[in-house]
């Protein structure tokens, strides 16, 4: 990914089972303060979680989805992956010098990468 579209969220916001539910985003490429967006992480939906900068419904069309799984394609992927060099997932373990240190002080370790294309990550573990 090109680090142009990103969000920071606590693990507790991502985990759990929910559908079209408000989840907290601490900050993102659109806002510097905490807010909520509607995401999906359904029990039997292998393309989940759907993590997005804005509410899922509008994010699909505007290219603001930042993560999905199970090689899911359609506009969920084609509106963002080809034009942003794919997508990355980083987890902050502790604050240290690292790549992408310009994002909220650094300390990030890349744990997943989706190359440019029209399909999301092939994992089915729901992150």
């Amino acid at each position: 990914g090109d680090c142009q579209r990103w969000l920071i969220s606590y693990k507790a916001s991502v985990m759990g089972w929910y559908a079209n539910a408000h989840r907290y985003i601490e900050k993102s490429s659109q806002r510097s303060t905490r807010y909520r967006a509607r995401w999906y992480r359904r029990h039997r939906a292998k393309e989940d979680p759907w993590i997005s900068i804005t509410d899922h419904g509008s994010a699909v069309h505007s290219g603001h989805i930042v993560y999905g799984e199970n090689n899911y394609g359609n506009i969920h992927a084609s509106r963002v992956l080809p034009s942003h060099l794919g997508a990355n997932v980083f987890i902050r373990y502790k604050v240290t010098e690292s790549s992408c240190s310009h994002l909220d002080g650094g300390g990030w370790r890349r744990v997943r990468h989706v190359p440019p294309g029209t399909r999301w990550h092939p994992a089915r573990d729901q992150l």
Side-chain angles (χ1 to χ4, degrees):
D2 62 8
C3 296
Q4 294 297 306
R5 297 211 172 153
W6 56 270
L7 64 80
I8 296 171
S9 187
Y10 286 109
K11 182 178 181 178
S13 291
V14 175
M15 302 310 285
W17 304 113
Y18 47 87
N20 200 32
H22 280 121
R23 309 307 284 185
Y24 282 104
I25 297 169
E26 300 307 310
K27 60 176 73 172
S28 73
S29 53
Q30 284 196 344
R31 291 188 186 173
S32 61
T33 58
R34 188 179 205 215
Y35 67 101
R36 297 183 308 171
R38 292 184 179 274
W39 296 350
Y40 286 84
R41 188 168 181 267
R42 299 160 291 184
H43 188 43
R44 290 185 177 88
K46 295 298 182 185
E47 67 273 14
D48 291 5
W50 284 118
I51 300 173
S52 52
I53 296 169
T54 58
D55 288 345
H56 179 80
S58 62
V60 169
H61 299 284
S62 64
H64 288 114
I65 300 282
V66 296
Y67 190 73
E69 290 186 358
N70 199 26
N71 279 312
Y72 197 86
N74 208 336
I75 62 173
H76 291 68
S78 65
R79 296 280 175 138
V80 66
L81 296 178
S83 58
H84 288 281
L85 304 176
N88 297 314
V89 174
F90 292 88
I91 294 175
R92 185 179 354 212
Y93 289 97
K94 63 180 183 176
V95 177
T96 59
E97 290 299 316
S98 71
S99 65
C100 284
S101 62
H102 64 284
L103 296 180
D104 197 45
W108 300 96
R109 180 172 154 198
R110 185 170 79 176
V111 296
R112 293 215 169 136
H113 171 75
V114 180
T118 59
R119 300 258 177 216
W120 279 103
H121 200 278
R124 295 183 180 122
D125 60 5
Q126 296 187 302
L127 201 59

